[in-house]
Amino acid sequence: MNGRRPFLVAFLLTAAVWAGVAVPWALTDREPAPAATPGPGALAGPNIAAEGRSRAAGRQALGMAWSSTWSATVPEGSAVPDRALGAGRCAELFTWATERSAVPRGTATAAFTLTAPEDRGLVVRSLRVVKGRKLPPPKGTDVECLGAVDRGVPQSMESWGRLSLDRPRDLKVSRAVGPGATVGGLIETRTTDCSCQWWIEVEVWEGAKKRTIRIDDAGSPFTLAPPVAGIGAPAQGGALKYGTPDVALAREDSPGDAPSEPSVSASRLLAGNGQEMWMVADREVPEVGRLTANLDVPGAVCQRVERRLVADGALPAGRAAYAVSIADPSAREDLERVVDVSLKVKKTVREGPPPQGYGCYPAQWGLQTNDKQTEASVRLSRDTPHLPVLTGEPVQLFRETEDEPATGTVFVTVEAWDPDDAEYRFTLDVTVEDASGKRTHHTVDDAGRPFVLASRPDGMAPRHEKYAYYENGHKVG
């Protein structure tokens, strides 16, 4: 045994040396090995760059602006649940899809942070996206979010720019970070023909040393594939600019040709600055309490509360304003339309315990809603097969760019004031007529479901809400 021991020690030392040499040889510039990181979606717990002590973390993000569209393909065998589709559901759809390794199509956004060493700062000089291994084109269910803003990304994380995998280039930047401090940002990456892995490489100076830091998706490369035909009709994106919630959509079959006929959509407008908000929920939503911890932020609290309740499935109550958008890809010279709008209504009475009522009010609240831009208002009181709202309403279409359809929007308010626990489900019948007399008829719903408006007793004041909040620093109820 003693004669074998020196040989065994020498063998182990040799193996260790070869192991140390083998790692750099395996790390090609096309596929560097990822560092160990926490689970998907976390920006905390950063990667440790092998070249230095600067730290980086990244994850996929939903989007950067209200006008963003995020689309992806979920692998075959995964049916999108109903709870992840409809108005205000983009966050749920994005979470569900990314947990199933969905591949973004056309455009992908990455959120990232860079942290300087504790003993010295760093300066970021350039940033680039690196194309990795090719992937087969994804097959499965296409999903899409219109108005894709990632509300899990802090507003302080600015966009650093847009890059392309088809035409790689260095993005020159200048960001100084103090010792131990962190800077964050968003990068949008596009492609038209690459189905592949990718990641971000950042060039930084730590004192007099230049280093390259990799940013990936929590330890794995990001993925991206060529774009697919849009799922939503052209009109569905038209109302986003007026304050409607995002819309989550899915398509399991192959897309057809782009529509040449007018398309129509309708979306509920969210409360704006100075507007009160009324909603009912089947359960208490604890997140609302955290959002209202600081009520001295006029114009911010109520909007955040409403978005949280919408995402949780709560219903608007008493009054809601809707944007009805028309898009016509064939409109060139004749841009005037005549629109009729009516409702098909079904009244139901809620069973079980009464819902949780939520109200949020500006500091000096009054009956301020989206009515100021409304062409018509209608009140619900019973089942109504045909309830006219607008008849012969002139609508002027506008074309923002040459390659987009001409669009126009009208606004209607729907009210439901009842002493009982009534809920009204309704769809919109919309007729669009052009100057030649050609008419098209459209049945409009909420991404495959009826719109729902809960009743609210006449004369109800904030003190009658179970959860009522003022944006002036105190809670009532």
Side-chain angles (χ1 to χ4, degrees):
M1 280 300 280
N2 291 340
R4 289 185 173 182
R5 184 168 298 167
F7 172 80
L8 180 60
V9 171
F11 174 81
L12 292 175
L13 287 173
T14 302
V17 170
W18 275 105
V21 172
V23 171
W25 278 71
L27 301 186
T28 68
D29 60 345
R30 310 307 295 170
E31 189 69 35
T37 55
L43 282 181
N47 297 336
I48 306 300
E51 303 91 340
R53 290 177 295 162
S54 296
R55 297 175 293 170
R59 71 165 175 86
Q60 294 185 63
L62 181 54
M64 300 195 300
W66 64 265
S67 56
S68 297
T69 297
W70 173 83
S71 62
T73 299
V74 185
E76 293 176 319
S78 299
V80 185
D82 286 343
R83 62 173 174 76
L85 296 175
R89 295 291 197 275
C90 271
E92 284 74 16
L93 180 61
F94 178 73
T95 299
W96 177 87
T98 52
E99 286 176 350
R100 285 154 183 80
S101 302
V103 178
R105 306 303 297 256
T107 301
T109 301
F112 65 90
T113 56
L114 293 167
T115 303
E118 293 293 334
D119 59 344
R120 61 189 185 278
L122 64 82
V123 178
V124 185
R125 288 302 187 194
S126 69
L127 180 149
R128 60 181 172 268
V129 293
V130 180
K131 187 185 301 185
R133 188 166 52 235
K134 288 187 177 181
L135 300 173
K139 297 181 179 180
T141 301
D142 294 332
V143 295
E144 181 177 87
C145 284
L146 304 175
V149 178
D150 196 324
R151 305 195 181 279
V153 174
Q155 294 183 351
S156 58
M157 293 182 68
E158 62 178 319
S159 170
W160 283 31
R162 292 177 168 87
L163 292 171
S164 172
L165 289 175
D166 306 330
R167 294 177 298 278
R169 65 179 178 90
D170 282 7
L171 179 65
K172 301 299 183 182
V173 296
S174 180
R175 299 286 197 284
V177 186
T182 297
V183 65
L186 296 162
I187 283 291
E188 186 177 271
T189 302
R190 299 172 179 266
T191 187
T192 58
D193 57 13
C194 180
S195 184
C196 53
Q197 297 176 339
W198 65 279
W199 57 89
I200 301 169
E201 288 184 354
V202 184
E203 299 288 348
V204 303
W205 285 89
E206 295 176 358
K209 294 183 178 180
K210 181 181 179 181
R211 304 192 186 280
T212 300
I213 302 175
R214 165 173 160 152
I215 299 172
D216 53 29
D217 188 8
S220 300
F222 296 104
T223 58
L224 189 58
V228 292
I231 299 173
Q236 284 186 292
L240 294 172
K241 67 184 74 174
Y242 301 108
T244 62
D246 51 44
V247 181
L249 305 165
R251 174 183 58 213
E252 296 186 8
D253 53 350
S254 300
D257 296 332
S260 58
E261 294 289 328
S263 62
V264 178
S265 74
S267 301
R268 184 175 74 87
L269 298 178
L270 299 180
N273 290 335
Q275 297 173 3
E276 67 270 22
M277 178 277 302
W278 303 325
M279 298 194 78
V280 295
D282 290 335
R283 65 177 184 88
E284 183 180 352
V285 183
E287 295 86 349
V288 169
R290 291 193 287 271
L291 291 172
T292 56
N294 179 6
L295 292 173
D296 294 316
V297 190
V301 175
C302 290
Q303 294 178 60
R304 293 172 184 170
V305 168
E306 185 175 27
R307 288 186 181 277
R308 177 63 261 174
L309 290 168
V310 168
D312 204 67
L315 303 177
R319 175 193 300 258
Y322 298 84
V324 182
S325 296
I326 302 100
D328 192 344
S330 65
R332 293 297 170 184
E333 302 298 332
D334 170 29
L335 294 176
E336 185 170 307
R337 298 291 182 270
V338 177
V339 175
D340 297 338
V341 179
S342 62
L343 304 184
K344 287 185 175 179
V345 183
K346 177 68 175 178
K347 179 181 178 179
T348 61
V349 177
R350 188 184 305 109
E351 298 180 355
Q356 310 284 347
Y358 285 89
C360 195
Y361 304 85
Q364 295 180 340
W365 72 278
L367 194 59
Q368 301 177 35
T369 67
N370 292 292
D371 292 355
K372 60 184 179 181
Q373 59 188 5
T374 297
E375 277 84 4
S377 180
V378 66
R379 183 166 179 169
L380 306 180
S381 60
R382 59 186 184 277
D383 289 351
T384 312
H386 183 83
L387 180 61
V389 182
L390 290 172
T391 303
E393 181 70 19
V395 178
Q396 189 71 29
L397 305 184
F398 298 94
R399 187 184 304 278
E400 295 186 5
T401 62
E402 187 60 31
D403 58 345
E404 293 182 353
T407 61
T409 303
V410 295
F411 303 91
V412 300
T413 294
V414 181
E415 299 179 349
W417 308 93
D418 271 305
D420 55 18
D421 291 333
E423 291 180 355
Y424 294 92
R425 287 166 169 77
F426 59 91
T427 57
L428 285 74
D429 279 348
V430 182
T431 301
V432 181
E433 182 178 347
D434 63 19
S436 69
K438 180 181 178 181
R439 297 164 64 90
T440 58
H441 301 273
H442 310 264
T443 298
V444 183
D445 56 23
D446 183 15
R449 306 183 187 89
F451 292 98
V452 184
L453 182 64
S455 65
R456 179 183 168 92
D458 280 317
M460 179 171 280
R463 64 181 179 272
H464 296 131
E465 299 282 3
K466 179 156 187 173
Y467 298 97
Y469 304 92
Y470 282 109
E471 289 185 337
N472 64 355
H474 71 275
K475 172 182 174 181
V476 298

